[in-house]
Amino acid sequence: MSEFDLIQRYFTRATPGAELGVGDDAALLRVGSGMELAVSTDMLVSGTHFLPDADPFLLGHKTLAVNLSDLAAMGAQPRWALLSLALPEAEETWLQKFSEGFFALADQHGVELVGGDTTRGPLNLCVTIMGEVPQGAALRRSAAQLGDDIWVSGRLGDAALALAHLQGKVELSAADFAMCALALHQPTPRIELGMALRGVAHSAIDVSDGLLADLGHILECSKLGAEIQFDALPISDTLRSYSGQDPSLSFPRRRESSLIKTLDSRFRGITSDLPACGLSRMASSSINDGCLEDLLIHRCVLAGGDDYELCFTAPIAHRVAVEELSHRMNLPLTRIGAIVAGSGCTVRAADGSIINIGESGYDHFR
Ligand code: ADP
Ligand code: MG
């Protein structure tokens, strides 16, 4: 199969929303009057973000989902995408499944694939996503205000728990793993929520690297601080049930491969240095009396990443509006804390003591 056959067969669809789509030197797009173009790009690299034997349908979904999540965090309406692929070989079943996963999600959100690039190389998937947002209405990281409530959508930590299981660091039951694996492999970009938050929220970010890291970006950009109540965080019953699990010490690694080790480094913020957890917690109180067990939960929820939920700040006056939105969308929106003066995020346990988890999220170069 030639490069052009490949593009034609798997990645060329009608694009009625573009002046010109796949097939020329550039696509031609027209943004609605009074709208701004929101553009973002995100790359998934084999061995860093996924295992090379990852299910291609789910990979197609996730490659687009992580990009849509960025537009959701801006309050933008997704319109167009570019897809750049480096592939070790043109494997037809893989391409078929990957494109099915990609287009299934694209169709859900009215996204048209208008171009890209295809080369041979180590598996690497890169999407550039484009959307529209009314002029001045985008939700920026820099716009949080003193006294804002901090909210988060959906639930946090399940994806990180699934990854911990894949790494042999915890042992989940088959049913629990199936639930968490859905969060890890098939995240739901909160597009509808992002658009509904225009004029309701002051600032927003999607939680891709972990709540503390991502909320930290809002705080830095807005030059403010935050206080979060750990007990208010939305945690699945599944994750909660692993309170009391020793996250790495009692379980032998079930799978050992260099790739798992590569992924390990991505996960080190969650389960590394566990023996030092006494040092990681500045205060000794916790949900249980334990230390190791709660560190797993704390890290999955606060630093796990891959959640692709929205964290946003909104004025207290909009509390009811946010709650109504939650009800209308049938999506949990949980108030987890407040924007305060100062800098950095303080996480408090129920008794008021401070929870410190050491690292706050994933950083590719740390
Ligand atoms: P050029 O040589 O001008 O860069 P290419 O041969 O790379 O053009 O691509 C031909 C056309 O196919 C272009 O319109 C490009 O945007 C599109 N294209 C290439 N790869 C992909 C892909 N993976 N998905 C969608 N469109 C693609
Ligand atoms: Mg090209």
Side-chain angles (χ1 to χ4, degrees):
M1 186 172 38
S2 76
E3 180 188 325
F4 302 97
D5 290 340
L6 186 161
I7 296 165
Q8 179 61 36
R9 195 174 307 170
Y10 299 108
F11 299 110
T12 306
R13 297 268 192 102
T15 53
E19 301 305 308
L20 188 61
V22 170
D24 212 314
D25 294 311
L28 297 174
L29 311 172
R30 193 175 295 164
V31 184
S33 71
M35 305 298 266
E36 284 169 341
L37 183 67
V39 190
S40 176
T41 193
D42 239 331
M43 181 160 61
L44 298 190
V45 176
S46 179
T48 301
H49 301 94
F50 59 89
L51 296 169
D53 64 352
D55 179 303
F57 182 93
L58 296 177
L59 216 45
H61 173 100
K62 190 161 177 177
T63 305
L64 183 58
V66 302
N67 278 276
L68 287 171
S69 181
D70 283 321
L71 285 194
M74 296 301 286
Q77 162 106 60
R79 294 288 312 274
W80 308 286
L82 301 170
L83 173 63
S84 294
L85 301 171
L87 303 169
E89 60 201 328
E91 221 260 272
E92 301 205 16
T93 17
W94 192 95
L95 282 161
Q96 183 62 38
K97 292 263 156 33
F98 176 85
S99 62
E100 277 169 18
F102 183 96
F103 282 115
L105 184 60
D107 291 347
Q108 267 180 44
H109 295 287
V111 172
E112 295 180 353
L113 183 62
V114 295
D117 200 18
T118 308
T119 68
R120 190 188 286 274
L123 185 56
N124 191 331
L125 313 165
C126 182
V127 167
T128 299
I129 191 84
M130 287 165 280
E132 291 179 304
V133 60
Q135 275 171 27
L139 304 170
R140 300 176 186 221
R141 295 180 180 186
S142 57
Q145 290 181 23
L146 189 65
D148 274 0
D149 290 324
I150 303 171
W151 298 81
V152 72
S153 67
R155 272 185 274 277
L156 300 174
D158 289 343
L161 187 63
L163 188 54
H165 174 85
L166 286 175
Q167 294 171 317
K169 293 190 168 184
V170 289
E171 189 97 61
L172 305 191
S173 72
D176 286 350
F177 177 66
M179 192 284 281
C180 294
L182 199 66
L184 179 64
H185 296 310
Q186 240 178 331
T188 306
R190 301 302 186 188
I191 291 293
E192 190 191 352
L193 173 62
M195 288 193 287
L197 287 174
R198 292 175 195 159
V200 174
H202 281 148
S203 69
I205 193 166
D206 66 319
V207 182
S208 55
D209 292 331
L211 178 68
L212 289 188
D214 291 314
L215 175 57
H217 296 312
I218 288 186
L219 301 179
E220 278 155 33
C221 294
S222 300
K223 298 185 171 57
L224 287 164
E227 284 243 358
I228 282 184
Q229 303 300 321
F230 188 84
D231 284 7
L233 293 172
I235 300 176
S236 69
D237 291 341
T238 306
L239 179 54
R240 207 179 295 281
S241 75
Y242 285 85
S243 173
Q245 282 267 15
D246 174 338
S248 74
L249 304 180
S250 66
F251 291 107
R253 290 177 170 280
R254 292 177 305 107
R255 290 172 66 183
E256 266 295 355
S257 77
S258 57
L259 278 155
I260 292 282
K261 281 184 202 141
T262 316
L263 285 170
D264 255 3
S265 66
R266 177 164 169 74
F267 200 58
R268 65 171 188 248
I270 299 165
T271 52
S272 65
D273 75 318
L274 281 168
C277 72
L279 298 174
S280 300
R281 286 184 68 94
M282 277 156 51
S284 60
S285 76
S286 63
I287 300 164
N288 300 326
D289 286 344
C291 165
L292 284 174
E293 47 269 31
D294 294 334
L295 197 61
L296 172 73
I297 295 194
H298 289 161
R299 287 196 170 175
C300 281
V301 174
L302 296 169
D306 265 348
D307 296 301
Y308 299 104
E309 295 296 344
L310 294 188
C311 174
F312 58 95
T313 79
I316 293 173
H318 289 172
R319 249 179 222 181
V320 175
V322 174
E323 278 155 8
E324 280 171 4
L325 206 60
S326 169
H327 189 71
R328 176 159 64 77
M329 295 182 51
N330 194 24
L331 172 68
L333 299 177
T334 309
R335 190 155 51 83
I336 62 170
I339 295 292
V340 299
S343 65
C345 183
T346 305
V347 183
R348 289 198 189 276
D351 65 357
S353 63
I354 293 171
I355 296 172
N356 189 327
I357 57 155
E359 293 182 51
S360 61
Y362 184 67
D363 180 328
H364 283 274
F365 294 103
R366 242 177 15 198

